[in-house]
Amino acid sequence: GENVEQHPSTLSVQEGDSAVIKCTYSDSASNYFPWYKQELGKRPQLIIDIRSNVGEKKDQRIAVTLNKTAKHFSLHITETQPEDSAVYFCAASHGNEKLTFGTGTRLTIIP
Amino acid sequence: NAGVTQTPKFQVLKTGQSMTLQCAQDMNHEYMSWYRQDPGMGLRLIHYSVGAGITDQGEVPNGYNVSRSTTEDFPLRLLSAAPSQTSVYFCASSFAGQGETEAFFGQGTRLTVV
């Protein structure tokens, strides 16, 4: 089955700086790669996703890049703000009926 | 539009007791899944369903049963609770196919087995 590794497990950045979270996946058949944000005590919520026919996708301050050859994808957050503090999860799937998640990155924005 | 609704939000069980975690969605999604979330381990798939009458095992299915008699409901049954099942449980649903594929999560059920 699919295996997703996520790094780093914790990340602290100064407000206004950029944050990068990286994930690798094992199943070359995976074609859907979402990123979820989970605030303390809340449910995970989708912030951005990418399919394998696209190399990069951007939504305001958030971008995701995908390297199918190397089987890794990354989340980039620019101009970080205090409200970006949360746990971020990457995931991978073939189709979207079941997601395999990474172990999460706790991002802390330092004011 | 309620989205994905889970009940209860909190539950304490004694070892050996059984219970059912309820999950309902009103978005007519084909896919529904159950995950458990433990510290440092992300979300792990327990069981999933691609439509009414169809279920399959995920990564950690032991000790849990599911059924999908309707599109809307996907209950998770703990047969004989064990302390190792102490966790936060999330139900999720999504459309099938290549279009709108976002998985929507319920608010979670925090289960403690003593």
Side-chain angles (χ1 to χ4, degrees):
Chain A
E2 176 66 275
N3 182 53
V4 177
E5 295 190 357
Q6 182 172 347
H7 299 282
S9 57
T10 61
L11 179 62
S12 296
V13 300
Q14 292 289 141
E15 182 178 353
D17 287 350
S18 296
V20 180
I21 303 170
K22 298 182 179 181
C23 289
T24 61
Y25 62 99
S26 62
D27 188 352
S28 56
S30 289
N31 59 1
Y32 177 61
F33 307 92
W35 285 88
Y36 282 82
K37 176 183 180 181
Q38 186 178 30
E39 297 177 347
L40 188 62
K42 301 288 183 65
R43 72 191 78 188
Q45 291 192 297
L46 181 75
I47 54 171
I48 195 167
D49 57 11
I50 192 168
R51 294 200 172 272
S52 59
N53 58 349
V54 176
E56 183 174 358
K57 184 176 178 181
K58 188 174 181 180
D59 183 4
Q60 299 183 8
R61 298 185 297 108
I62 294 173
V64 57
T65 58
L66 171 65
N67 184 326
K68 284 192 299 181
T69 302
K71 289 192 279 190
H72 67 70
F73 56 113
S74 301
L75 177 71
H76 305 254
I77 306 174
T78 59
E79 301 172 13
T80 53
Q81 301 170 2
E83 54 265 36
D84 295 329
S85 292
V87 179
Y88 291 80
F89 292 97
C90 62
S93 72
H94 177 60
N96 65 309
E97 68 265 22
K98 55 175 181 172
L99 298 171
T100 300
F101 284 86
T103 51
T105 297
R106 182 174 300 278
L107 175 63
T108 302
I109 307 302
I110 305 166
Chain B
N1 194 346
V4 181
T5 302
Q6 286 182 239
T7 56
K9 291 184 180 180
F10 302 95
Q11 183 71 48
V12 178
L13 287 180
K14 294 183 179 179
T15 296
Q17 286 185 317
S18 63
M19 78 159 295
T20 299
L21 279 61
Q22 301 291 344
C23 176
Q25 53 92 9
D26 61 0
M27 297 174 282
N28 204 31
H29 286 167
E30 294 93 343
Y31 296 162
M32 296 188 75
S33 305
W34 277 103
Y35 296 87
R36 60 176 289 172
Q37 184 173 31
D38 302 292
M41 301 187 75
L43 294 118
R44 293 182 292 168
L45 183 65
I46 305 171
H47 286 283
Y48 67 103
S49 169
V50 298
I54 306 169
T55 64
D56 206 347
Q57 296 181 351
E59 179 186 354
V60 288
N62 292 341
Y64 308 94
N65 273 356
V66 292
S67 60
R68 183 101 179 266
S69 56
T70 67
T71 299
E72 295 78 20
D73 300 298
F74 191 43
L76 179 71
R77 298 182 186 84
L78 279 70
L79 308 174
S80 177
S84 61
Q85 294 178 305
T86 293
S87 188
V88 180
Y89 291 84
F90 285 99
C91 177
S93 72
S94 63
F95 282 119
Q98 298 291 312
E100 291 294 321
T101 52
E102 176 180 355
F104 292 86
F105 284 81
Q107 74 270 39
T109 297
R110 184 173 295 275
L111 176 67
T112 302
V113 183
V114 298

